Amino acid sequence: MNPLLQSVQLALQDATQTEALAYIDKVTDFCIEQENGRVLPDWPRKSIRLLVAYHLAKDTITVVHDADGDVAGTMVWYRCNDDDGNSFFLNWEADREDGNAIFGALLFAKNTETFKEIFRSFTAKCPEVAYKKFIGLRRRAGGERRVEYPTKFFNKILNK
């Protein structure tokens, strides 16, 4: 059971926080547009919307906006163990606060500067990424593969 997830589900059903819901919908629409059925295949919009709201509630999402206020980039993350795979993501499990890794997902950026801003915000919100493994999944035509990003990856991005 994931109490925070249940709370978010109730808030979405209640639909009284109209400004928050409009923002969640804006971010959800961006993620759907960017992922194009490759990252979350067969996920209905309401599940992606719940995913966005859940990460907003637990403050494990970075959303970057362009000069016009439109969403230009996103990334969510989970605190996990290096050997967890991605089942926690698919099964809506709570973060492992004592985990030894950070799993990044839904990384979408419209340009290089947005990409850098996502990681500046992410490292400010999740400073433990400096000493934990940062992992993700890459989907290509050949399938899915796990990727580990070394600390120098962040140094290169953040120092340019």
Side-chain angles (χ1 to χ4, degrees), residues 12 17-35 45 48-50 52-53 56 61-74 108 110:
L12 289 173
Q17 299 175 2
T18 55
E19 284 184 36
L21 292 173
Y23 184 71
I24 290 166
D25 287 338
K26 186 176 180 179
V27 175
T28 299
D29 291 342
F30 175 81
C31 290
I32 290 170
E33 174 188 307
Q34 296 299 308
E35 75 93 29
R45 184 182 195 287
I48 297 172
R49 184 178 190 238
L50 177 59
V52 168
L56 283 167
I61 187 170
T62 292
V63 180
V64 174
H65 301 88
D66 63 18
D68 296 326
D70 295 325
V71 178
T74 62
F108 306 120
K110 288 195 170 183

Side-chain angles (χ1 to χ4, degrees), residues 87-145:
S87 63
F88 57 89
F89 181 80
L90 300 173
N91 296 326
W92 298 90
E93 296 173 19
D95 285 36
R96 296 185 194 278
E97 294 301 327
D98 62 344
N100 64 1
I102 307 294
F103 179 86
L106 297 183
L107 173 56
F108 306 120
K110 288 195 170 183
N111 56 49
T112 303
E113 190 52 44
T114 299
F115 185 80
K116 290 178 183 180
E117 184 57 35
I118 288 168
F119 277 95
R120 281 191 286 269
S121 177
F122 166 60
T123 56
K125 285 181 163 185
C126 184
E128 67 265 30
V129 74
Y131 57 87
K132 293 183 178 185
K133 283 188 180 180
F134 182 61
I135 56 178
L137 294 177
R138 292 201 121 208
R139 293 181 194 261
R140 300 279 188 203
E144 184 177 274
R145 74 176 175 96

